[in-house]
Amino acid sequence: QTKLTLNVPADAEVFLAGQPTQTKGDSRTFATKRLAAGESWANYTIKVALEQDGKTLTKEQTLTLVGGQDREITFNFNEADVASVAAAANR
């Protein structure tokens, strides 16, 4: 089994390999048995979107999933992220 745990804001939307997920909460675990041990899935993209102050903030990370491994990734949306989006919107 291959397991991916994402730590995200509880109300964020999560997309795995371009597909929306239905899970909710600040810790979300996804598991698959479709990858054999040692087999890899390259260019696996995780996208997290968060609505904040009327703007949609997004973060993406692309990685290689390896069968049989557990991965944990944290996506933080902090004050600096919000400020940079606001500054770009006001240009």
Side-chain angles (χ1 to χ4, degrees), residues 31-54:
T32 184
K33 294 181 180 177
R34 295 172 62 190
L35 282 176
E39 184 179 35
S40 64
W41 181 346
N43 299 314
Y44 188 83
T45 302
I46 303 162
K47 176 181 170 185
V48 179
L50 178 66
E51 289 285 328
Q52 201 165 32
D53 298 326

Side-chain angles (χ1 to χ4, degrees), residues 3-67:
K3 186 166 71 170
L4 175 65
T5 301
L6 301 178
N7 300 305
V8 299
D11 54 347
E13 292 182 78
V14 174
F15 300 83
L16 299 178
Q19 299 300 310
T21 64
Q22 302 302 315
T23 59
K24 301 293 179 197
D26 57 4
S27 180
R28 305 178 195 191
T29 301
F30 305 92
T32 184
K33 294 181 180 177
R34 295 172 62 190
L35 282 176
E39 184 179 35
S40 64
W41 181 346
N43 299 314
Y44 188 83
T45 302
I46 303 162
K47 176 181 170 185
V48 179
L50 178 66
E51 289 285 328
Q52 201 165 32
D53 298 326
K55 307 272 187 224
T56 301
L57 308 177
T58 60
K59 289 194 175 192
E60 285 189 17
Q61 185 170 342
T62 301
L63 53 96
T64 298
L65 285 179
V66 178

